[in-house]
């Protein structure tokens, strides 16, 4: 029923040259008293999205420093995931609440998984709302419970939040990306900890410019002409249509500019395909707009190549929980432009490590300025990378987790 996820092996020592010895030593000291602590990460999926992205690195690193960690994925069928998708959207502000049947299905699958859950965990870390009822259903199965919220709860659908609240508010500890995301009424310890990226994962590891260029060329990019790029799911809140509009304005000043929109698709997400098709229609056959997805074989390495090669990286979201793609983009030391929403301003100091924008026009103006002044792009890119190195790499997140686990109260 609950599926254990096999993760590879990672070694904290490999990160020392990137984040520095001091942080690595601090992590070892914090991990020392936690040797052998049995930690369970519980999530809804092992594929796609930010949570699995993080756990594929966090779980092996926690193991490497001596904790006894497992990651398990809850069991659910289509009706459950349909319900949790509606819940996810509603919690981020969509007016549509779950139907009674969907609430029933959410609760029933939580009960089923709660029954199957094994006992004897020191710490159970429950990710996101899908399995959130676990703590109220079987509190005795773990000594400590933490709810890790990865989404933006600042303006939720009130009815949905009211129904969910009894299940999340009783967690003895909870963790949010930002202060604004903490719902009123949480009763336990509250931690504000943003996520992080893995600089050694294939998506983020250092590529030579030649390798990046070679890969982009295979997707039809003219590598001698300027390239704007956004990597994100095809979702209205990521605003790919706005990116196309901005590109068209840039093209008036810089006629040879190209645009790549790179996004992964799930086979079981009809909404995603509808919006993908709407994006293709909006591009209107422009041969300089390249719309690519995982069905064109775009995986982590290709995302890395596009980000490493592009002249300007964009994340023009109108709503964004954190935006892992932002740190991923800036880590490539390329100039970055992002929407001034959600977690993006945490990652970008406007005018110093990139630009924050609030409209298509502003986005276009910043992109044009960068293309016309490569020195500006280089400066933004390099200082952006240092900001990410300090604040948004996985060892920092590992340290924060170890601190939180050390602070749990009996
Ligand atoms: N992603 C990917 N390929 C794509 C599009 C997205 O691998 O074509 C990854 C992206 O690199 C990031 C994650 O999916 O690691 C998305 O996380 P983010 O926080 O940016 O947004 P979300 O999709 O969770 O709203």
């Amino acid at each position: 029923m609950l599926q254990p996820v096999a993760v590879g092996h990672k070694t904290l020592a490999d990160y020392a040259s990137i984040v520095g010895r001091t942080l690595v030593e601090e992590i070892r000291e914090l991990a020392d008293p936690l040797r052998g602590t049995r930690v369970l990460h519980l999530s809804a999926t092992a594929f796609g999205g930010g949570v699995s992205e993080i756990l594929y690195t966090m779980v092996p690193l926690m193991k490497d420093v001596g904790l006894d960690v497992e990651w398990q994925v809850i069991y659910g069928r289509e009706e459950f995931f349909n319900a949790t998708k509606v819940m996810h959207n509603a919690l981020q502000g969509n007016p549509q609440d779950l139907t009674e049947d969907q609430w029933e299905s959410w609760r029933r699958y939580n009960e089923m998984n709660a029954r199957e859950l094994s006992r004897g965990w020191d710490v159970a870390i429950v990710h996101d709302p899908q399995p959130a009822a676990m703590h109220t259903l079987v509190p005795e199965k773990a000594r400590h419970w933490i709810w890790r919220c990865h989404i933006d709860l600042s303006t939720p659908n009130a009815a949905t939040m009211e129904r969910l609240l009894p299940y999340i508010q009783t967690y003895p500890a909870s963790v949010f990306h930002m202060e604004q995301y903490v719902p009123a009424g949480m009763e336990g310890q509250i931690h504000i900890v943003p996520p992080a990226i893995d600089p050694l994962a294939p998506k983020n590891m250092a590529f030579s410019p030649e390798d990046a260029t070679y890969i982009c060329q295979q997707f039809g990019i003219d590598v001698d002409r300027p390239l704007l790029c956004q990597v994100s799911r095809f979702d209205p809140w990521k605003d790919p249509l706005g990116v196309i509009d901005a590109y068209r304005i840039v093209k008036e000043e810089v006629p040879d500019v190209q645009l790549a929109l790179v996004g992964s698709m799930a086979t079981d997400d009809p909404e995603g395909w509808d919006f993908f098709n709407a994006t293709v229609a909006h591009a209107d056959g422009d041969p300089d707009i390249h719309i690519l997805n995982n069905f064109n074989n775009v995986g982590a390495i290709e995302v890395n190549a596009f980000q490493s090669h592009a002249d300007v990286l964009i994340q023009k979201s109108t709503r964004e929980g954190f935006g892992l793609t932002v740190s991923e983009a800036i880590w490539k030391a390329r100039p970055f432009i992002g929407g001034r929403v959600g977690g993006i301003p945490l990652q970008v100091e406007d005018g110093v490590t990139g630009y924050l924008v609030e409209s298509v026009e502003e986005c276009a103006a910043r992109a044009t300025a960068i293309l016309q002044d490569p020195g500006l792009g280089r400066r933004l890119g390099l200082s952006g990378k240092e900001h990410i190195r300090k604040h948004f790499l996985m060892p920092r997140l590992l340290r924060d987790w170890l601190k939180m686990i050390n602070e749990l109260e009996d």
Side-chain angles (χ1 to χ4, degrees):
M1 288 285 260
L2 284 152
Q3 286 297 321
V5 182
V7 292
H9 180 78
K10 292 189 195 275
T11 312
L12 179 64
D14 292 345
Y15 295 76
S17 63
I18 301 175
V19 299
R21 295 240 148 258
T22 319
L23 179 56
V24 169
E25 275 155 27
E26 187 187 351
I27 290 171
R28 296 214 185 278
E29 273 166 34
L30 286 163
D32 213 31
L34 298 175
R35 200 154 278 282
T37 301
R38 292 200 68 212
V39 178
L40 170 69
H41 285 275
L42 203 57
S43 79
T45 171
F47 177 75
V51 178
S52 52
E53 195 77 28
I54 292 165
L55 290 181
Y56 276 112
T57 298
M58 185 50 66
V59 172
L61 283 182
M62 280 185 166
K63 283 187 181 179
D64 184 59
V65 297
L67 283 70
D68 182 4
V69 191
E70 250 185 69
W71 170 15
Q72 294 184 10
V73 169
I74 54 166
Y75 170 76
R77 277 205 253 200
E78 202 183 338
E79 49 174 325
F80 174 68
F81 290 114
N82 285 341
T84 57
K85 174 128 204 200
V86 176
M87 186 189 288
H88 178 101
N89 288 339
L91 290 171
Q92 298 219 104
N94 205 36
Q96 183 195 350
D97 189 12
L98 288 78
T99 62
E100 278 310 315
D101 278 356
Q102 287 174 324
W103 276 112
E104 217 284 299
S105 160
W106 176 74
R107 170 130 187 142
R108 193 155 33 82
Y109 278 94
N110 267 269
E111 281 167 356
M112 219 187 292
N113 283 292
R115 265 197 305 278
E116 296 292 323
L117 183 66
S118 53
R119 291 169 187 276
W121 301 102
D122 293 308
V123 187
I125 301 171
V126 178
H127 293 267
D128 273 349
Q130 297 95 328
M134 290 291 186
H135 169 245
T136 47
L137 292 169
V138 283
E140 71 285 359
K141 289 195 174 176
R143 197 150 64 89
H144 297 287
W145 289 84
I146 305 178
W147 188 53
R148 192 350 164 187
C149 176
H150 295 264
I151 61 180
D152 174 354
L153 297 182
S154 54
T155 52
N157 175 319
T160 313
M161 184 47 108
E162 201 184 311
R163 288 283 284 265
L164 180 68
L165 197 60
Y167 296 101
I168 57 173
Q169 71 185 155
T170 55
Y171 273 83
S174 50
V175 189
F176 299 86
H177 295 340
M178 298 174 68
E179 205 75 59
Q180 299 92 290
Y181 297 173
V182 183
M186 296 300 291
E187 292 168 3
Q189 292 178 352
I190 290 172
H191 299 276
I192 306 301
V193 175
I197 62 164
D198 180 357
L200 297 180
K203 188 178 290 173
N204 298 313
M205 66 196 210
F207 258 7
S208 72
E210 293 75 25
D211 286 343
T213 304
Y214 183 66
I215 291 174
C216 289
Q217 230 163 2
Q218 295 178 33
F219 287 91
I221 306 295
D222 181 344
V223 295
D224 297 320
R225 287 160 50 200
L227 177 68
L228 313 177
C229 174
Q230 171 161 302
V231 175
S232 68
R233 288 181 296 111
F234 288 96
D235 178 304
W237 283 331
K238 307 286 185 185
D239 200 18
L241 306 187
V243 177
I244 291 177
D245 294 339
Y247 149 88
R248 290 201 167 114
I249 300 176
V250 174
K251 210 167 179 64
E252 288 167 16
E253 303 277 326
V254 187
D256 57 352
V257 70
Q258 309 164 90
L259 170 65
L261 293 171
V262 178
S264 67
M265 309 294 301
T267 38
D268 60 350
D269 181 3
E271 265 177 49
W273 280 107
D274 289 347
F275 198 68
F276 176 82
N277 292 331
T279 308
V280 171
H282 200 68
D284 198 21
D286 183 338
D288 285 340
I289 302 181
H290 301 263
I291 303 179
L292 303 167
N293 65 43
N294 45 325
F295 291 89
N296 309 117
N297 241 348
V298 177
I301 296 284
E302 288 77 13
V303 166
N304 189 338
F306 273 94
Q307 291 178 329
S308 301
H309 174 77
D311 298 277
V312 181
L313 292 166
I314 300 174
Q315 186 63 59
K316 213 204 136 311
S317 306
T318 52
R319 191 152 192 107
E320 191 64 77
F322 176 73
L324 284 172
T325 50
V326 177
S327 279
E328 290 165 359
I330 301 174
W331 181 244
K332 312 303 186 307
R334 312 306 295 156
F336 175 84
I337 301 172
R340 194 188 291 275
V341 290
I344 298 180
L346 275 184
Q347 303 173 72
V348 180
E349 198 185 336
D350 193 18
V352 180
T353 68
Y355 291 114
L356 296 171
V357 297
E358 290 177 39
S359 67
V360 165
E361 292 71 25
E362 220 183 329
C363 180
R366 293 303 191 188
T368 306
I370 293 169
L371 292 180
Q372 289 174 337
D373 180 0
L376 168 66
R378 258 194 307 280
R379 280 195 304 281
L380 292 170
L382 287 174
S383 44
K385 180 162 185 167
E386 287 318 301
H387 186 69
I388 302 304
R389 188 195 305 280
K390 240 202 229 135
H391 301 286
F392 299 110
L393 297 186
M394 210 54 90
R396 186 276 300 157
L397 182 58
L398 173 62
R399 178 201 58 196
D400 291 348
W401 269 118
L402 297 174
K403 267 193 186 163
M404 289 187 282
I405 295 174
N406 272 308
E407 283 168 17
L408 290 167
E409 289 157 8
D410 271 316

